[in-house]
Structures are given as structure tokens and as C-alpha cells.
Short mmCIF file of all heavy atoms in Angstrom, two decimals:
data_model
loop_
_atom_site.label_atom_id
_atom_site.label_comp_id
_atom_site.label_asym_id
_atom_site.label_seq_id
_atom_site.Cartn_x
_atom_site.Cartn_y
_atom_site.Cartn_z
N SER L 235 -1.28 19.16 -2.32
CA SER L 235 -1.69 18.29 -1.22
C SER L 235 -0.60 18.14 -0.18
O SER L 235 0.60 18.21 -0.49
CB SER L 235 -2.05 16.88 -1.75
OG SER L 235 -3.12 16.94 -2.70
N GLU L 236 -1.00 17.92 1.04
CA GLU L 236 -0.01 17.64 2.09
C GLU L 236 0.46 16.20 1.93
O GLU L 236 -0.26 15.30 1.48
CB GLU L 236 -0.65 17.79 3.49
CG GLU L 236 -1.03 19.23 3.83
CD GLU L 236 -1.49 19.36 5.27
OE1 GLU L 236 -1.47 18.34 6.00
OE2 GLU L 236 -1.93 20.47 5.66
N TRP L 237 1.70 15.98 2.34
CA TRP L 237 2.25 14.61 2.28
C TRP L 237 1.56 13.76 3.34
O TRP L 237 1.31 14.19 4.47
CB TRP L 237 3.75 14.66 2.57
CG TRP L 237 4.57 15.14 1.46
CD1 TRP L 237 5.11 16.39 1.31
CD2 TRP L 237 4.95 14.42 0.26
NE1 TRP L 237 5.81 16.49 0.14
CE2 TRP L 237 5.76 15.29 -0.53
CE3 TRP L 237 4.73 13.12 -0.18
CZ2 TRP L 237 6.32 14.91 -1.75
CZ3 TRP L 237 5.29 12.74 -1.39
CH2 TRP L 237 6.06 13.61 -2.17
N MET L 238 1.22 12.51 2.99
CA MET L 238 0.63 11.57 3.89
C MET L 238 1.69 10.48 4.23
O MET L 238 2.16 9.79 3.37
CB MET L 238 -0.60 10.87 3.28
CG MET L 238 -1.77 11.78 2.97
SD MET L 238 -3.24 10.86 2.51
CE MET L 238 -2.67 9.99 1.03
N PRO L 239 2.08 10.38 5.52
CA PRO L 239 3.03 9.33 5.87
C PRO L 239 2.35 7.95 5.72
O PRO L 239 1.13 7.79 5.92
CB PRO L 239 3.34 9.62 7.32
CG PRO L 239 2.18 10.40 7.84
CD PRO L 239 1.69 11.19 6.68
N PHE L 240 3.18 6.90 5.37
CA PHE L 240 2.59 5.59 5.21
C PHE L 240 3.61 4.52 5.53
O PHE L 240 4.85 4.77 5.55
CB PHE L 240 2.09 5.37 3.75
CG PHE L 240 3.20 5.09 2.72
CD1 PHE L 240 3.66 3.80 2.56
CD2 PHE L 240 3.74 6.12 2.03
CE1 PHE L 240 4.68 3.56 1.65
CE2 PHE L 240 4.77 5.90 1.12
CZ PHE L 240 5.25 4.58 0.93
N SER L 241 3.13 3.34 5.79
CA SER L 241 3.94 2.15 5.87
C SER L 241 3.28 1.12 4.99
O SER L 241 2.05 1.11 4.79
CB SER L 241 4.09 1.62 7.29
OG SER L 241 2.82 1.27 7.81
N SER L 242 4.07 0.20 4.40
CA SER L 242 3.50 -0.76 3.48
C SER L 242 4.14 -2.13 3.61
O SER L 242 5.27 -2.24 4.09
CB SER L 242 3.62 -0.26 2.01
OG SER L 242 4.96 -0.26 1.64
N GLU L 243 3.40 -3.12 3.20
CA GLU L 243 3.86 -4.48 3.13
C GLU L 243 3.46 -5.04 1.78
O GLU L 243 2.37 -4.84 1.34
CB GLU L 243 3.25 -5.32 4.25
CG GLU L 243 3.88 -6.69 4.43
CD GLU L 243 3.51 -7.29 5.78
OE1 GLU L 243 4.06 -6.86 6.79
OE2 GLU L 243 2.64 -8.21 5.79
N GLN L 244 4.42 -5.69 1.11
CA GLN L 244 4.24 -6.06 -0.26
C GLN L 244 4.74 -7.47 -0.50
O GLN L 244 5.76 -7.90 0.03
CB GLN L 244 5.00 -5.08 -1.15
CG GLN L 244 5.02 -5.41 -2.65
CD GLN L 244 5.81 -4.36 -3.40
OE1 GLN L 244 5.88 -3.20 -3.03
NE2 GLN L 244 6.46 -4.77 -4.47
N TYR L 245 4.04 -8.20 -1.37
CA TYR L 245 4.41 -9.59 -1.72
C TYR L 245 4.40 -9.74 -3.22
O TYR L 245 3.42 -9.42 -3.89
CB TYR L 245 3.37 -10.57 -1.12
CG TYR L 245 3.17 -10.41 0.35
CD1 TYR L 245 2.21 -9.53 0.88
CD2 TYR L 245 3.92 -11.18 1.27
CE1 TYR L 245 2.03 -9.41 2.21
CE2 TYR L 245 3.74 -10.99 2.64
CZ TYR L 245 2.77 -10.11 3.12
OH TYR L 245 2.57 -9.96 4.46
N ASN L 246 5.54 -10.22 -3.76
CA ASN L 246 5.67 -10.49 -5.19
C ASN L 246 5.99 -11.95 -5.44
O ASN L 246 6.86 -12.50 -4.75
CB ASN L 246 6.79 -9.65 -5.79
CG ASN L 246 6.44 -8.18 -5.90
OD1 ASN L 246 6.08 -7.52 -4.93
ND2 ASN L 246 6.57 -7.62 -7.09
N PHE L 247 5.26 -12.54 -6.41
CA PHE L 247 5.49 -13.92 -6.77
C PHE L 247 5.82 -13.96 -8.28
O PHE L 247 4.98 -13.48 -9.09
CB PHE L 247 4.25 -14.75 -6.47
CG PHE L 247 3.84 -14.76 -5.05
CD1 PHE L 247 3.00 -13.77 -4.55
CD2 PHE L 247 4.33 -15.71 -4.16
CE1 PHE L 247 2.61 -13.74 -3.23
CE2 PHE L 247 3.91 -15.66 -2.79
CZ PHE L 247 3.09 -14.69 -2.33
N LEU L 248 6.99 -14.48 -8.63
CA LEU L 248 7.41 -14.43 -10.05
C LEU L 248 6.70 -15.42 -10.92
O LEU L 248 6.32 -15.06 -12.04
CB LEU L 248 8.92 -14.67 -10.09
CG LEU L 248 9.84 -13.45 -9.88
CD1 LEU L 248 9.63 -12.47 -11.00
CD2 LEU L 248 9.65 -12.83 -8.54
N GLY L 249 6.48 -16.61 -10.46
CA GLY L 249 5.94 -17.65 -11.33
C GLY L 249 4.54 -17.35 -11.88
O GLY L 249 4.31 -17.50 -13.07
N ASN L 250 3.65 -16.91 -11.01
CA ASN L 250 2.29 -16.56 -11.46
C ASN L 250 2.06 -15.07 -11.55
O ASN L 250 0.94 -14.61 -11.60
CB ASN L 250 1.23 -17.22 -10.55
CG ASN L 250 1.39 -16.78 -9.11
OD1 ASN L 250 2.27 -16.00 -8.75
ND2 ASN L 250 0.55 -17.28 -8.23
N SER L 251 3.15 -14.33 -11.57
CA SER L 251 3.11 -12.84 -11.80
C SER L 251 2.07 -12.17 -10.87
O SER L 251 1.09 -11.60 -11.34
CB SER L 251 2.82 -12.52 -13.26
OG SER L 251 3.75 -13.13 -14.07
N THR L 252 2.32 -12.24 -9.58
CA THR L 252 1.39 -11.65 -8.61
C THR L 252 2.12 -10.60 -7.79
O THR L 252 3.28 -10.77 -7.36
CB THR L 252 0.85 -12.76 -7.67
OG1 THR L 252 0.11 -13.68 -8.47
CG2 THR L 252 -0.08 -12.17 -6.63
N ARG L 253 1.42 -9.48 -7.53
CA ARG L 253 1.91 -8.41 -6.69
C ARG L 253 0.81 -7.95 -5.78
O ARG L 253 -0.23 -7.51 -6.26
CB ARG L 253 2.45 -7.25 -7.51
CG ARG L 253 2.98 -6.07 -6.69
CD ARG L 253 3.45 -4.95 -7.60
NE ARG L 253 4.11 -3.85 -6.89
CZ ARG L 253 3.49 -2.78 -6.41
NH1 ARG L 253 2.18 -2.64 -6.59
NH2 ARG L 253 4.15 -1.83 -5.78
N LEU L 254 0.99 -8.06 -4.47
CA LEU L 254 -0.01 -7.63 -3.50
C LEU L 254 0.66 -6.58 -2.65
O LEU L 254 1.63 -6.82 -1.93
CB LEU L 254 -0.44 -8.84 -2.63
CG LEU L 254 -0.90 -10.07 -3.41
CD1 LEU L 254 -1.18 -11.24 -2.47
CD2 LEU L 254 -2.18 -9.79 -4.25
N PHE L 255 0.05 -5.37 -2.67
CA PHE L 255 0.65 -4.22 -1.99
C PHE L 255 -0.40 -3.69 -0.99
O PHE L 255 -1.45 -3.23 -1.38
CB PHE L 255 1.01 -3.16 -2.99
CG PHE L 255 1.57 -1.87 -2.42
CD1 PHE L 255 2.93 -1.78 -2.12
CD2 PHE L 255 0.77 -0.79 -2.19
CE1 PHE L 255 3.50 -0.59 -1.62
CE2 PHE L 255 1.31 0.40 -1.64
CZ PHE L 255 2.65 0.48 -1.33
N PHE L 256 -0.03 -3.74 0.30
CA PHE L 256 -0.91 -3.22 1.36
C PHE L 256 -0.28 -1.96 1.95
O PHE L 256 0.88 -1.97 2.34
CB PHE L 256 -1.07 -4.29 2.43
CG PHE L 256 -1.62 -5.60 1.95
CD1 PHE L 256 -0.78 -6.60 1.49
CD2 PHE L 256 -2.98 -5.83 1.97
CE1 PHE L 256 -1.26 -7.82 1.02
CE2 PHE L 256 -3.49 -7.04 1.55
CZ PHE L 256 -2.64 -8.03 1.07
N MET L 257 -1.07 -0.95 2.12
CA MET L 257 -0.57 0.34 2.62
C MET L 257 -1.48 0.88 3.70
O MET L 257 -2.68 0.83 3.60
CB MET L 257 -0.52 1.34 1.51
CG MET L 257 -0.02 2.73 1.93
SD MET L 257 -0.22 4.00 0.63
CE MET L 257 -2.01 4.22 0.70
N ASN L 258 -0.85 1.39 4.78
CA ASN L 258 -1.54 2.13 5.82
C ASN L 258 -0.97 3.52 5.86
O ASN L 258 0.23 3.72 6.09
CB ASN L 258 -1.37 1.45 7.17
CG ASN L 258 -2.14 0.16 7.26
OD1 ASN L 258 -3.33 0.12 7.02
ND2 ASN L 258 -1.46 -0.93 7.61
N ALA L 259 -1.85 4.52 5.60
CA ALA L 259 -1.43 5.92 5.57
C ALA L 259 -2.29 6.74 6.54
O ALA L 259 -3.22 6.24 7.13
CB ALA L 259 -1.56 6.48 4.16
N THR L 260 -1.89 8.01 6.69
CA THR L 260 -2.65 8.92 7.56
C THR L 260 -2.93 10.18 6.79
O THR L 260 -2.05 10.84 6.25
CB THR L 260 -1.84 9.27 8.84
OG1 THR L 260 -1.52 8.09 9.53
CG2 THR L 260 -2.67 10.18 9.75
N MET L 261 -4.21 10.56 6.73
CA MET L 261 -4.65 11.76 6.00
C MET L 261 -5.47 12.60 6.95
O MET L 261 -6.52 12.20 7.44
CB MET L 261 -5.50 11.40 4.78
CG MET L 261 -6.00 12.61 3.97
SD MET L 261 -6.85 12.13 2.39
CE MET L 261 -8.28 11.27 3.10
N MET L 262 -4.96 13.81 7.29
CA MET L 262 -5.61 14.71 8.25
C MET L 262 -5.94 13.98 9.53
O MET L 262 -7.03 14.02 10.08
CB MET L 262 -6.90 15.30 7.61
CG MET L 262 -6.61 16.23 6.44
SD MET L 262 -8.07 17.08 5.76
CE MET L 262 -8.90 15.66 5.05
N LYS L 263 -4.95 13.21 10.01
CA LYS L 263 -4.99 12.45 11.26
C LYS L 263 -5.98 11.28 11.22
O LYS L 263 -6.24 10.68 12.27
CB LYS L 263 -5.30 13.38 12.44
CG LYS L 263 -4.28 14.45 12.65
CD LYS L 263 -4.61 15.29 13.91
CE LYS L 263 -3.55 16.37 14.12
NZ LYS L 263 -3.83 17.17 15.34
N LEU L 264 -6.49 10.95 10.04
CA LEU L 264 -7.39 9.82 9.86
C LEU L 264 -6.70 8.69 9.10
O LEU L 264 -5.97 8.97 8.17
CB LEU L 264 -8.69 10.23 9.14
CG LEU L 264 -9.55 11.25 9.82
CD1 LEU L 264 -10.74 11.64 8.89
CD2 LEU L 264 -10.10 10.69 11.14
N PRO L 265 -6.94 7.44 9.52
CA PRO L 265 -6.25 6.32 8.83
C PRO L 265 -6.86 6.04 7.44
O PRO L 265 -8.07 6.06 7.23
CB PRO L 265 -6.51 5.15 9.79
CG PRO L 265 -7.76 5.51 10.51
CD PRO L 265 -7.76 6.99 10.65
N VAL L 266 -5.97 5.76 6.50
CA VAL L 266 -6.33 5.42 5.13
C VAL L 266 -5.68 4.10 4.80
O VAL L 266 -4.44 3.96 5.01
CB VAL L 266 -5.91 6.49 4.13
CG1 VAL L 266 -6.23 6.05 2.68
CG2 VAL L 266 -6.60 7.82 4.43
N ALA L 267 -6.44 3.15 4.30
CA ALA L 267 -5.91 1.84 3.93
C ALA L 267 -5.95 1.72 2.40
O ALA L 267 -6.92 2.11 1.76
CB ALA L 267 -6.73 0.73 4.58
N GLY L 268 -4.88 1.18 1.84
CA GLY L 268 -4.79 0.97 0.40
C GLY L 268 -4.38 -0.43 0.04
O GLY L 268 -3.62 -1.04 0.77
N PHE L 269 -4.92 -0.94 -1.04
CA PHE L 269 -4.59 -2.28 -1.53
C PHE L 269 -4.49 -2.24 -3.07
O PHE L 269 -5.41 -1.86 -3.76
CB PHE L 269 -5.68 -3.26 -1.09
CG PHE L 269 -5.45 -4.68 -1.55
CD1 PHE L 269 -4.17 -5.26 -1.53
CD2 PHE L 269 -6.50 -5.43 -2.04
CE1 PHE L 269 -3.95 -6.57 -1.98
CE2 PHE L 269 -6.31 -6.73 -2.47
CZ PHE L 269 -5.03 -7.29 -2.43
N HIS L 270 -3.32 -2.61 -3.56
CA HIS L 270 -3.08 -2.81 -5.00
C HIS L 270 -2.92 -4.34 -5.21
O HIS L 270 -2.09 -4.98 -4.59
CB HIS L 270 -1.81 -2.11 -5.45
CG HIS L 270 -1.90 -0.62 -5.49
ND1 HIS L 270 -1.67 0.11 -6.64
CD2 HIS L 270 -2.22 0.28 -4.57
CE1 HIS L 270 -1.82 1.38 -6.37
NE2 HIS L 270 -2.15 1.51 -5.11
N CYS L 271 -3.76 -4.84 -6.13
CA CYS L 271 -3.72 -6.30 -6.40
C CYS L 271 -3.44 -6.49 -7.88
O CYS L 271 -4.19 -5.97 -8.74
CB CYS L 271 -5.04 -6.94 -6.02
SG CYS L 271 -5.14 -8.70 -6.39
N PHE L 272 -2.39 -7.23 -8.22
CA PHE L 272 -2.03 -7.55 -9.59
C PHE L 272 -1.85 -9.08 -9.68
O PHE L 272 -1.08 -9.64 -8.96
CB PHE L 272 -0.73 -6.83 -9.96
CG PHE L 272 -0.18 -7.23 -11.30
CD1 PHE L 272 -0.64 -6.74 -12.48
CD2 PHE L 272 0.89 -8.19 -11.35
CE1 PHE L 272 -0.12 -7.14 -13.72
CE2 PHE L 272 1.44 -8.54 -12.56
CZ PHE L 272 0.93 -8.00 -13.75
#
């Protein structure tokens, strides 16, 4: 696969063990959005 450039913003909270990861990438010049929720 070709490499997809991305930028991300992430929030971690220790007390309630939360991780929110937001990503904006580009695939074949089209925008791709990603979200990991823990």
C-alpha cells in the first residue's frame, strides 16, 4: 500500500481509563477520518 499522510488529535484520561484518538488522513487524494475510542 501507499503511505497515507495523517494528522491526529488524542485525549487520554488516567482516572477512568479513556483514550480518544481522532485522525484525518488522505487516501488517493480523498479524505479519510478515523476514530479510536477506548
Side-chain angles (χ1 to χ4, degrees):
S235 301
E236 291 187 6
W237 286 101
M238 296 189 299
F240 77 87
S241 61
S242 67
E243 191 164 284
Q244 174 181 329
Y245 306 87
N246 287 55
F247 302 87
L248 274 296
N250 58 1
S251 304
T252 297
R253 178 181 187 268
L254 308 174
F255 178 85
F256 302 88
M257 178 191 73
N258 289 307
T260 303
M261 180 174 64
M262 294 185 292
K263 298 184 179 181
L264 296 175
V266 176
F269 177 43
H270 288 236
C271 177
F272 171 81

